[in-house]
Structures are given as C-alpha cells and as structure tokens.
Amino acid sequence: MIVTVCLNPAIDVTYRVPELSVGRSHRVREVHARAGGKGINVARVLHQLAEPVTIAGLCGGTTGAEIAADLQRSGLRAVLTPISGQSRRTVTVVDAREATVLNEPGPQVSAAEWAAFGTAFSELVQAVRVVVMSGSVPPGCPDTSYAELVATARANGAAVVLDAEGEQLRHALGARPDVAKPNAVEVAHVFGRPVTTRRDALDAAQLLCDRGASTGIVSLGAEGFVAVTPSAAYDVRLPRQIPGNQTGAGDALAAALARGLARDDPWPELIADGAAVSAAAVAVPVAGGVATDIMAELRPGVVIEEV
Ligand SMILES: Nc1ncnc2c1ncn2[C@@H]1O[C@H](COP(=O)(O)OP(=O)(O)OP(=O)(O)O)[C@@H](O)[C@H]1O
Ligand SMILES: [Mg+2]
C-alpha cells in the first residue's frame, strides 16, 4: 500500500469564462469543484492506475467536510486529522487562452493538531511500502514538518518520495528520503543557483543526493527530467511534447515513482514509467488524472541516456 500526505488539501474551484479581463465582471459558463492539493492529486493518479492508496491529511471546517465527502465519492480512502481552522479553496479561472490561479495559504494549524497528525501518521505507516509527501504545508506547521514525517516513515520501513520546496525541502533532505523530486525552479531556489541547462539540472540532482536523498530527480516540464540514482545518472526525454495542462504533471511523476518503488522495479524501468505517466497527465485537463492511451503510446519511445 502507498500513503500520500496532503497537509493542505483544498476544494479546487474552476470557473470557465470566454475571456478573462482584470477589473471586469464575468458571466461564468461552467463551474467545477473537487478536492485537490498535490497529495490528493497523487492519490487520484495511483487510484486510476489501480494501486491501493490512502491519503493522510489535515482537514477542517465546512471546506474540510466537502473535501472528505468528495474523496469518498471518488472512492479514495483517507485518514483525516480534524483541525479547528477552515481548509482552503483554490480558484482557477480558465479562458480561451490561459488559466489564472488563486491559491489560499490554508488554515492556521496548532501545535496540538500537528502532534495529533504525527500520531495518526505513525500508526498509518506501519504496514506501508511507500509514502509520498508533496505540496504546501499550512501555516503553523513547523518548517521541519516533512523532515519529521520522513523520519517516521523510514523508522517504520517505508520508502519516501518527497516533492517539496523551500525550507520544507531543505530540512527534509537531511532526514534521508529515498527520492526527492523538485522541479528546476524549486531546486534552483533551494540551492540558490540557476538551473537553466540539463547539466545544471544534473548537478542539482547530485546536490539533492549530497544533502541526503538516495535519488535526486529534477523535472524539466516538457523537456523530461534528470535523475541521479544510487547506481547511475540518467537523462530522460519524451518522444514528443504533449499539449495541454502541465499542472499536475509533477504529481503524476511522483505517483509513478511511488508505484515503481512499491514494486521494486529496476531504475531504468521505473524512470521510463515515470516519464510516460507524467507526460500522459498533461493530456488531461485537470490535475490528478492520466490519459492511459497516451501513456501506453509514449512508453516504448521514452529515451533514457545514462550519463
Ligand atoms: N508538455 C509536456 N509534454 C510531455 N511531458 C511533460 C510535459 N510537461 C511535463 N511533462 C512530464 O511531466 C514531468 C513533470 O513536469 P514538471 O517538471 O512540469 O513538474 P512540476 O513543475 O512539478 O508540476 P506540478 O507541480 O504542477 O505537478 C516532466 O518531467 C515530464 O516527464
Ligand atoms: Mg511540482
């Protein structure tokens, strides 16, 4: 079984309008709302790929109740620690040209609520192969939140895929996650150096390992990703670029990595699956899904070069 951590879940609201213009009122053509947040998106992908998965999260208020109900409707198992604050909403306005996203920071979490999550998490991870930790952390949770959870997971024999940024990433590396997967912008920010070329990305992936990760992966959007594993370093490219919605491609990559670790797949296979699954996520208009026909079509054409 795989557990995904979603500390800052949300109700993702999407409005479709013909053309967004700032400062005007708009007639909304369509509105959709569903539970989101990176950990939930990762779980949706795993569920679609028929992998048993449980979400571990913090949830509160009427939005929290909506999140819990939506997960249940989607058939996703979740262990949600209650908090007194109101879980957040995100708003995306999509017009013919682009998407504009408004992200709330999330509710204030107390020390007692964080401790309660820690207890629930350590019980949950006992019989688990892999834990995915991804996404933002709500206000009030310590900068060492992911570091603490990585340590707990590893102490219980679970492998960890970490997709975090900023201080959370910096601290959590020291707790030795099995895989760290930031994107180029996130890794440039955490190490304070530009990541513009594939060489830069490989150096940054190596630095993730030097700081504590067993495997460092730096994702490069439509350009694929680079990976430094314990046995070799790889440069990974897709056979073609997929047009569509790039948001959530990283979540799909994290899901595929977790599935591969849970199955003990060899790295080249695990990496090729990750490339095909993440690229196939771009073809789906919302985060948290993959186009399985495109996944199957791309998989044999993924180019993996050992470097
Ligand atoms: N347009 C695309 N065509 C093909 N593959 C893509 C495309 N965009 C992304 N990918 C695949 O998805 C992976 C992750 O993408 P990206 O680097 O954008 O992640 P991210 O920034 O973490 O995304 P998010 O956090 O929104 O989920 C890439 O390494 C690549 O394999
Ligand atoms: Mg990401």
Side-chain angles (χ1 to χ4, degrees):
M1 219 240 310
I2 297 171
V3 164
T4 71
V5 172
C6 195
L7 297 176
N8 209 2
I11 287 292
D12 290 334
V13 181
T14 306
Y15 291 121
R16 282 183 193 279
V17 299
E19 192 185 346
L20 178 67
S21 57
V22 177
R24 296 267 172 84
S25 29
H26 297 76
R27 209 172 279 278
V28 174
R29 275 192 179 162
E30 267 176 59
V31 55
H32 291 285
R34 74 169 189 170
K38 288 187 176 294
I40 289 177
N41 295 340
V42 174
R44 286 190 192 280
V45 171
L46 287 166
H47 188 62
Q48 191 189 347
L49 298 175
E51 280 299 313
V53 61
T54 299
I55 297 159
L58 292 163
C59 242
T62 49
T63 340
E66 263 183 80
I67 291 168
D70 188 61
L71 294 178
Q72 201 165 23
R73 264 196 305 277
S74 305
L76 287 163
R77 202 174 101 81
V79 175
L80 302 170
T81 301
I83 55 171
S84 63
Q86 180 79 243
S87 290
R88 70 195 174 121
R89 252 182 311 236
T90 72
V91 175
T92 304
V93 184
V94 182
D95 71 5
R97 286 173 301 131
E98 56 199 350
T100 305
V101 187
L102 303 172
N103 280 324
E104 293 180 26
Q108 188 70 33
V109 174
S110 72
E113 288 165 345
W114 173 243
F117 179 82
T119 305
F121 180 75
S122 53
E123 279 165 23
L124 183 61
V125 292
Q126 267 159 34
V128 159
R129 301 267 302 170
V130 183
V131 181
V132 184
M133 301 177 195
S134 50
S136 74
V137 165
C141 289
D143 281 352
T144 52
S145 295
Y146 282 144
E148 291 173 31
L149 300 181
V150 173
T152 303
R154 285 182 46 88
N156 284 283
V160 176
V161 177
L162 173 72
D163 182 2
E165 57 183 301
E167 287 305 304
Q168 292 294 344
L169 172 59
R170 194 193 311 279
H171 288 291
L173 286 173
R176 310 193 69 79
D178 296 78
V179 180
K181 188 234 82 69
N183 64 29
V185 174
E186 292 157 352
V187 83
H189 184 250
V190 82
F191 292 142
R193 51 198 258 175
V195 176
T196 45
T197 65
R198 297 188 90 87
R199 182 72 248 171
D200 295 341
L202 263 174
D203 291 344
Q206 180 60 54
L207 208 45
L208 289 168
C209 298
D210 297 344
R211 299 284 168 89
S214 302
T215 291
I217 294 182
V218 175
S219 69
L220 306 168
E223 304 301 319
F225 57 88
V226 297
V228 176
T229 77
S231 50
Y234 302 96
D235 194 349
V236 186
R237 288 184 171 86
L238 281 311
R240 62 183 174 95
Q241 299 200 349
I242 305 297
N245 164 43
Q246 215 160 298
T247 308
D251 304 334
L253 177 53
L257 295 170
R259 180 181 66 162
L261 287 180
R263 296 196 298 214
D264 259 330
D265 285 344
W267 275 107
E269 193 176 313
L270 202 157
I271 279 172
D273 279 346
V277 171
S278 57
V282 179
V284 177
V286 290
V290 293
T292 44
D293 51 339
I294 293 183
M295 179 177 82
E297 173 229 310
L298 293 177
R299 177 63 173 81
V302 174
V303 181
I304 301 181
E305 193 191 336
E306 207 173 311
V307 285

